[in-house]
Amino acid sequence: SGSNGQFFNLTALNTSASLVEQNAATTVTRNFRVQDGRYDCNGFALNVGGDFRNDDEFIHGNNTVAFITGTSPAYFIKSATGVGNFHSVTMNKAGIVDMTDAANVSDMILSPTGILNLNNGWIVTGARNVFTDNPNTNAVINGSVNSFVSGNLRRDINASGSYFFPIGYAPNTSSYRLANTIFASAGDYTQLTAFYTPALDAAITAA
């Protein structure tokens, strides 16, 4: 249940032909799930305090999904039946967003004009990727010891520019590294993936 755009848990459970649309910015204190049918953000922001799970069709509406509040791990799950990606993502929680649940079969993909905003909290990818499909250099903003991608950060890139990759090994804040790759001229690459490996870092330190 909820009012004025505020919910404790929110599950879209409809027939496949039906559509649930937001009519305002919406905050879900705990878990959000598209279980059956379509859910459209309709141009409004969606704030999620717990798990985000998509088992049918999520329509981002060219706005932001923000992971907010709490230190408990939250899960990003896009199952084998899930359709739709994010526009922009903001991390604004004190814990992690975990992509390693067995039900998740997808990368976390942001749209060609979307922004990954790393304010607070970590995204743990496992074998998956956080993928920003926006080739602009400012498609990933902020990033710090308190907010980075723990795993694989994949970026679309232009022929030239300076691209930052805030990576590390959560929740170890001392592992934070801000990788920077500068392209001065056109090359053969359109995407680049950065990741942090604790064992390699330890070997370099020992040497």
Side-chain angles (χ1 to χ4, degrees), residues 12-32:
L13 183 58
N14 315 287
T15 64
S16 59
S18 63
L19 174 68
V20 175
E21 286 187 333
Q22 286 182 208
N23 60 9
T26 298
T27 296
V28 182
T29 307
R30 292 194 63 187
N31 300 325
F32 171 88

PDB file of all heavy atoms in Angstrom, residues 12-32:
ATOM      1  N   ALA A  12       4.196  -4.903  -9.270  1.00  0.00           N
ATOM      2  CA  ALA A  12       3.287  -4.817 -10.407  1.00  0.00           C
ATOM      3  C   ALA A  12       2.889  -6.236 -10.784  1.00  0.00           C
ATOM      4  O   ALA A  12       3.730  -7.045 -11.191  1.00  0.00           O
ATOM      5  CB  ALA A  12       3.962  -4.116 -11.577  1.00  0.00           C
ATOM      6  N   LEU A  13       1.604  -6.538 -10.598  1.00  0.00           N
ATOM      7  CA  LEU A  13       1.088  -7.891 -10.838  1.00  0.00           C
ATOM      8  C   LEU A  13      -0.191  -7.756 -11.656  1.00  0.00           C
ATOM      9  O   LEU A  13      -1.285  -7.583 -11.122  1.00  0.00           O
ATOM     10  CB  LEU A  13       0.821  -8.598  -9.508  1.00  0.00           C
ATOM     11  CG  LEU A  13       0.350 -10.050  -9.548  1.00  0.00           C
ATOM     12  CD1 LEU A  13       1.371 -10.918 -10.283  1.00  0.00           C
ATOM     13  CD2 LEU A  13       0.134 -10.584  -8.131  1.00  0.00           C
ATOM     14  N   ASN A  14      -0.040  -7.804 -12.977  1.00  0.00           N
ATOM     15  CA  ASN A  14      -1.144  -7.538 -13.884  1.00  0.00           C
ATOM     16  C   ASN A  14      -1.153  -8.584 -14.980  1.00  0.00           C
ATOM     17  O   ASN A  14      -0.304  -9.472 -15.034  1.00  0.00           O
ATOM     18  CB  ASN A  14      -0.979  -6.159 -14.538  1.00  0.00           C
ATOM     19  CG  ASN A  14      -0.583  -5.086 -13.551  1.00  0.00           C
ATOM     20  OD1 ASN A  14      -1.381  -4.652 -12.756  1.00  0.00           O
ATOM     21  ND2 ASN A  14       0.688  -4.672 -13.606  1.00  0.00           N
ATOM     22  N   THR A  15      -2.110  -8.467 -15.892  1.00  0.00           N
ATOM     23  CA  THR A  15      -2.042  -9.290 -17.092  1.00  0.00           C
ATOM     24  C   THR A  15      -0.973  -8.718 -18.009  1.00  0.00           C
ATOM     25  O   THR A  15      -0.584  -7.558 -17.891  1.00  0.00           O
ATOM     26  CB  THR A  15      -3.393  -9.296 -17.822  1.00  0.00           C
ATOM     27  OG1 THR A  15      -3.680  -7.969 -18.276  1.00  0.00           O
ATOM     28  CG2 THR A  15      -4.508  -9.780 -16.907  1.00  0.00           C
ATOM     29  N   SER A  16      -0.498  -9.510 -18.922  1.00  0.00           N
ATOM     30  CA  SER A  16       0.596  -9.082 -19.793  1.00  0.00           C
ATOM     31  C   SER A  16       0.210  -7.891 -20.661  1.00  0.00           C
ATOM     32  O   SER A  16       1.074  -7.163 -21.143  1.00  0.00           O
ATOM     33  CB  SER A  16       1.052 -10.247 -20.679  1.00  0.00           C
ATOM     34  OG  SER A  16      -0.022 -10.717 -21.466  1.00  0.00           O
ATOM     35  N   ALA A  17      -1.089  -7.666 -20.863  1.00  0.00           N
ATOM     36  CA  ALA A  17      -1.529  -6.568 -21.723  1.00  0.00           C
ATOM     37  C   ALA A  17      -1.713  -5.262 -20.956  1.00  0.00           C
ATOM     38  O   ALA A  17      -1.879  -4.203 -21.568  1.00  0.00           O
ATOM     39  CB  ALA A  17      -2.833  -6.939 -22.408  1.00  0.00           C
ATOM     40  N   SER A  18      -1.669  -5.314 -19.631  1.00  0.00           N
ATOM     41  CA  SER A  18      -1.969  -4.124 -18.835  1.00  0.00           C
ATOM     42  C   SER A  18      -0.704  -3.343 -18.530  1.00  0.00           C
ATOM     43  O   SER A  18       0.408  -3.850 -18.606  1.00  0.00           O
ATOM     44  CB  SER A  18      -2.679  -4.511 -17.538  1.00  0.00           C
ATOM     45  OG  SER A  18      -1.842  -5.310 -16.741  1.00  0.00           O
ATOM     46  N   LEU A  19      -0.927  -2.071 -18.155  1.00  0.00           N
ATOM     47  CA  LEU A  19       0.191  -1.158 -17.917  1.00  0.00           C
ATOM     48  C   LEU A  19      -0.049  -0.388 -16.632  1.00  0.00           C
ATOM     49  O   LEU A  19      -1.126   0.178 -16.416  1.00  0.00           O
ATOM     50  CB  LEU A  19       0.321  -0.185 -19.093  1.00  0.00           C
ATOM     51  CG  LEU A  19       1.360   0.936 -18.956  1.00  0.00           C
ATOM     52  CD1 LEU A  19       2.765   0.366 -18.972  1.00  0.00           C
ATOM     53  CD2 LEU A  19       1.176   1.957 -20.088  1.00  0.00           C
ATOM     54  N   VAL A  20       0.958  -0.355 -15.769  1.00  0.00           N
ATOM     55  CA  VAL A  20       0.948   0.491 -14.584  1.00  0.00           C
ATOM     56  C   VAL A  20       1.850   1.684 -14.870  1.00  0.00           C
ATOM     57  O   VAL A  20       3.010   1.506 -15.261  1.00  0.00           O
ATOM     58  CB  VAL A  20       1.455  -0.261 -13.338  1.00  0.00           C
ATOM     59  CG1 VAL A  20       1.555   0.687 -12.150  1.00  0.00           C
ATOM     60  CG2 VAL A  20       0.540  -1.432 -13.017  1.00  0.00           C
ATOM     61  N   GLU A  21       1.335   2.905 -14.695  1.00  0.00           N
ATOM     62  CA  GLU A  21       2.104   4.114 -14.948  1.00  0.00           C
ATOM     63  C   GLU A  21       2.244   4.937 -13.677  1.00  0.00           C
ATOM     64  O   GLU A  21       1.280   5.099 -12.932  1.00  0.00           O
ATOM     65  CB  GLU A  21       1.430   4.987 -16.017  1.00  0.00           C
ATOM     66  CG  GLU A  21       1.545   4.479 -17.426  1.00  0.00           C
ATOM     67  CD  GLU A  21       0.992   5.483 -18.424  1.00  0.00           C
ATOM     68  OE1 GLU A  21       0.102   6.275 -18.058  1.00  0.00           O
ATOM     69  OE2 GLU A  21       1.456   5.483 -19.579  1.00  0.00           O
ATOM     70  N   GLN A  22       3.425   5.478 -13.453  1.00  0.00           N
ATOM     71  CA  GLN A  22       3.601   6.463 -12.392  1.00  0.00           C
ATOM     72  C   GLN A  22       2.983   7.790 -12.826  1.00  0.00           C
ATOM     73  O   GLN A  22       3.031   8.154 -14.003  1.00  0.00           O
ATOM     74  CB  GLN A  22       5.090   6.688 -12.102  1.00  0.00           C
ATOM     75  CG  GLN A  22       5.764   5.564 -11.357  1.00  0.00           C
ATOM     76  CD  GLN A  22       7.228   5.852 -11.061  1.00  0.00           C
ATOM     77  OE1 GLN A  22       8.010   4.939 -10.958  1.00  0.00           O
ATOM     78  NE2 GLN A  22       7.607   7.116 -10.911  1.00  0.00           N
ATOM     79  N   ASN A  23       2.432   8.527 -11.861  1.00  0.00           N
ATOM     80  CA  ASN A  23       1.963   9.876 -12.149  1.00  0.00           C
ATOM     81  C   ASN A  23       2.686  10.912 -11.301  1.00  0.00           C
ATOM     82  O   ASN A  23       2.283  12.071 -11.243  1.00  0.00           O
ATOM     83  CB  ASN A  23       0.447   9.985 -11.962  1.00  0.00           C
ATOM     84  CG  ASN A  23      -0.001   9.668 -10.552  1.00  0.00           C
ATOM     85  OD1 ASN A  23       0.827   9.515  -9.654  1.00  0.00           O
ATOM     86  ND2 ASN A  23      -1.301   9.559 -10.349  1.00  0.00           N
ATOM     87  N   ALA A  24       3.773  10.469 -10.634  1.00  0.00           N
ATOM     88  CA  ALA A  24       4.598  11.358  -9.815  1.00  0.00           C
ATOM     89  C   ALA A  24       5.873  10.608  -9.465  1.00  0.00           C
ATOM     90  O   ALA A  24       5.969   9.387  -9.659  1.00  0.00           O
ATOM     91  CB  ALA A  24       3.860  11.765  -8.535  1.00  0.00           C
ATOM     92  N   ALA A  25       6.858  11.324  -8.960  1.00  0.00           N
ATOM     93  CA  ALA A  25       8.050  10.662  -8.429  1.00  0.00           C
ATOM     94  C   ALA A  25       7.621   9.703  -7.321  1.00  0.00           C
ATOM     95  O   ALA A  25       6.752  10.027  -6.502  1.00  0.00           O
ATOM     96  CB  ALA A  25       9.031  11.691  -7.890  1.00  0.00           C
ATOM     97  N   THR A  26       8.193   8.510  -7.307  1.00  0.00           N
ATOM     98  CA  THR A  26       7.735   7.451  -6.417  1.00  0.00           C
ATOM     99  C   THR A  26       8.892   6.895  -5.607  1.00  0.00           C
ATOM    100  O   THR A  26       9.972   6.643  -6.144  1.00  0.00           O
ATOM    101  CB  THR A  26       7.068   6.321  -7.233  1.00  0.00           C
ATOM    102  OG1 THR A  26       5.925   6.858  -7.912  1.00  0.00           O
ATOM    103  CG2 THR A  26       6.638   5.174  -6.351  1.00  0.00           C
ATOM    104  N   THR A  27       8.653   6.695  -4.318  1.00  0.00           N
ATOM    105  CA  THR A  27       9.644   6.100  -3.426  1.00  0.00           C
ATOM    106  C   THR A  27       9.109   4.801  -2.852  1.00  0.00           C
ATOM    107  O   THR A  27       8.012   4.771  -2.284  1.00  0.00           O
ATOM    108  CB  THR A  27      10.006   7.058  -2.278  1.00  0.00           C
ATOM    109  OG1 THR A  27      10.633   8.225  -2.817  1.00  0.00           O
ATOM    110  CG2 THR A  27      10.966   6.401  -1.295  1.00  0.00           C
ATOM    111  N   VAL A  28       9.874   3.733  -3.031  1.00  0.00           N
ATOM    112  CA  VAL A  28       9.546   2.434  -2.463  1.00  0.00           C
ATOM    113  C   VAL A  28      10.576   2.159  -1.368  1.00  0.00           C
ATOM    114  O   VAL A  28      11.761   1.988  -1.657  1.00  0.00           O
ATOM    115  CB  VAL A  28       9.581   1.328  -3.536  1.00  0.00           C
ATOM    116  CG1 VAL A  28       9.179  -0.011  -2.929  1.00  0.00           C
ATOM    117  CG2 VAL A  28       8.672   1.679  -4.705  1.00  0.00           C
ATOM    118  N   THR A  29      10.119   2.137  -0.120  1.00  0.00           N
ATOM    119  CA  THR A  29      11.039   2.025   1.003  1.00  0.00           C
ATOM    120  C   THR A  29      11.805   0.714   0.986  1.00  0.00           C
ATOM    121  O   THR A  29      12.990   0.680   1.319  1.00  0.00           O
ATOM    122  CB  THR A  29      10.280   2.152   2.336  1.00  0.00           C
ATOM    123  OG1 THR A  29       9.513   3.353   2.309  1.00  0.00           O
ATOM    124  CG2 THR A  29      11.238   2.182   3.508  1.00  0.00           C
ATOM    125  N   ARG A  30      11.130  -0.344   0.574  1.00  0.00           N
ATOM    126  CA  ARG A  30      11.804  -1.641   0.515  1.00  0.00           C
ATOM    127  C   ARG A  30      11.857  -2.150  -0.921  1.00  0.00           C
ATOM    128  O   ARG A  30      12.516  -1.558  -1.751  1.00  0.00           O
ATOM    129  CB  ARG A  30      11.125  -2.615   1.474  1.00  0.00           C
ATOM    130  CG  ARG A  30      11.334  -2.219   2.940  1.00  0.00           C
ATOM    131  CD  ARG A  30      10.982  -3.323   3.907  1.00  0.00           C
ATOM    132  NE  ARG A  30      11.841  -4.488   3.741  1.00  0.00           N
ATOM    133  CZ  ARG A  30      11.635  -5.636   4.393  1.00  0.00           C
ATOM    134  NH1 ARG A  30      10.622  -5.763   5.240  1.00  0.00           N
ATOM    135  NH2 ARG A  30      12.454  -6.661   4.216  1.00  0.00           N
ATOM    136  N   ASN A  31      11.132  -3.213  -1.260  1.00  0.00           N
ATOM    137  CA  ASN A  31      11.379  -3.914  -2.519  1.00  0.00           C
ATOM    138  C   ASN A  31      10.408  -3.516  -3.628  1.00  0.00           C
ATOM    139  O   ASN A  31       9.203  -3.361  -3.406  1.00  0.00           O
ATOM    140  CB  ASN A  31      11.295  -5.421  -2.299  1.00  0.00           C
ATOM    141  CG  ASN A  31      12.315  -5.913  -1.292  1.00  0.00           C
ATOM    142  OD1 ASN A  31      13.428  -5.388  -1.225  1.00  0.00           O
ATOM    143  ND2 ASN A  31      11.940  -6.898  -0.496  1.00  0.00           N
ATOM    144  N   PHE A  32      10.970  -3.400  -4.842  1.00  0.00           N
ATOM    145  CA  PHE A  32      10.200  -3.100  -6.055  1.00  0.00           C
ATOM    146  C   PHE A  32      10.310  -4.298  -6.993  1.00  0.00           C
ATOM    147  O   PHE A  32      11.403  -4.815  -7.227  1.00  0.00           O
ATOM    148  CB  PHE A  32      10.739  -1.853  -6.738  1.00  0.00           C
ATOM    149  CG  PHE A  32      10.151  -1.591  -8.091  1.00  0.00           C
ATOM    150  CD1 PHE A  32       8.985  -0.852  -8.220  1.00  0.00           C
ATOM    151  CD2 PHE A  32      10.752  -2.086  -9.240  1.00  0.00           C
ATOM    152  CE1 PHE A  32       8.422  -0.608  -9.465  1.00  0.00           C
ATOM    153  CE2 PHE A  32      10.204  -1.850 -10.495  1.00  0.00           C
ATOM    154  CZ  PHE A  32       9.035  -1.111 -10.610  1.00  0.00           C
TER     155      PHE A  32
END
